[in-house]
Amino acid sequence: KDPELSDSLSPSDDLAKINSREKFSKVYIVNDGDEIKKVILPVKGYGLWSTMYGFISLESDLNTVSALAFYEHAETPGLGGEIDNPGWKAQWKGKEVYNDDDEVALSVIKGKVNSDTPNRVYKVDGLSGATLTTRGVDNLVKFWMGDMGYAKFLSNLKSGEV
């Protein structure tokens, strides 16, 4: 919240409903020698009742999700609180964040992702009865993986500039 260390977000840029974005963030890079194995990025965004704080982990290609997990939230148990359900979290593994045009394509959809769902590699099941939490998770992923979040960092990391 320190204005020296954060930037206020305009309503049109604030997809995650967080009001401001820190100028510096701790990210985790898991290496094996000189090779990147995983990148773990902190994420946050507003659900129905609270700000949800978590991490998204990407594989070495910086596009494939290895995990999404939340460590703090106050979403309704049995509804939005299902973001903690191991079955729901498992759906994120192997999903892709960016499409061929380097746009954030990953989204949480209303309903179920089936084998015949178009572009299913970019889609995760919505949470039944938890529309606002589902939308909050979708928005935070789009925000943090987009231009206002880590997109430039990931691009620089991929090109070797970081």
Side-chain angles (χ1 to χ4, degrees):
K1 296 188 179 201
D2 182 342
E4 297 285 322
L5 300 174
S6 64
D7 292 318
S8 292
L9 296 168
S10 69
S12 62
D13 288 334
D14 192 12
L15 188 59
K17 307 290 183 231
I18 55 175
N19 299 320
S20 64
R21 176 189 62 184
E22 63 269 12
K23 290 182 181 179
F24 305 97
S25 187
K26 185 180 282 192
V27 301
Y28 302 90
I29 301 174
V30 179
N31 291 318
D32 183 6
D34 290 339
E35 289 185 42
I36 295 173
K37 290 296 180 185
K38 291 190 189 314
V39 175
I40 303 164
L41 306 165
V43 294
K44 63 183 175 184
Y46 204 77
L48 173 61
W49 300 113
S50 69
T51 301
M52 302 173 289
Y53 297 90
F55 292 97
I56 189 166
S57 173
L58 302 177
E59 297 290 350
S60 59
D61 65 359
L62 306 178
N63 187 40
T64 305
V65 176
S66 58
L68 174 73
F70 294 96
Y71 61 88
E72 182 180 333
H73 67 84
E75 298 304 292
T76 308
L79 296 171
E82 289 297 296
I83 60 175
D84 291 330
N85 182 312
W88 187 75
K89 292 190 300 186
Q91 292 180 52
W92 291 85
K93 185 172 180 60
K95 298 298 180 177
E96 293 181 14
V97 177
Y98 303 102
N99 63 20
D100 293 339
D101 296 324
D102 286 330
E103 299 167 331
V104 178
L106 183 58
S107 65
V108 186
I109 66 166
K110 184 174 183 160
K112 298 274 184 203
V113 178
N114 299 311
S115 59
D116 61 343
T117 302
N119 298 312
R120 68 180 177 271
V121 72
Y122 304 114
K123 297 178 181 176
V124 175
D125 294 355
L127 296 168
S128 180
T131 302
L132 295 179
T133 302
T134 297
R135 189 175 303 140
V137 172
D138 186 59
N139 287 340
L140 79 82
V141 167
K142 285 180 171 48
F143 177 85
W144 287 107
M145 301 314 295
D147 293 335
M148 296 300 293
Y150 297 112
K152 185 174 181 178
F153 168 75
L154 292 170
S155 176
N156 289 342
L157 192 58
K158 201 178 279 188
S159 70
E161 292 180 41
V162 174

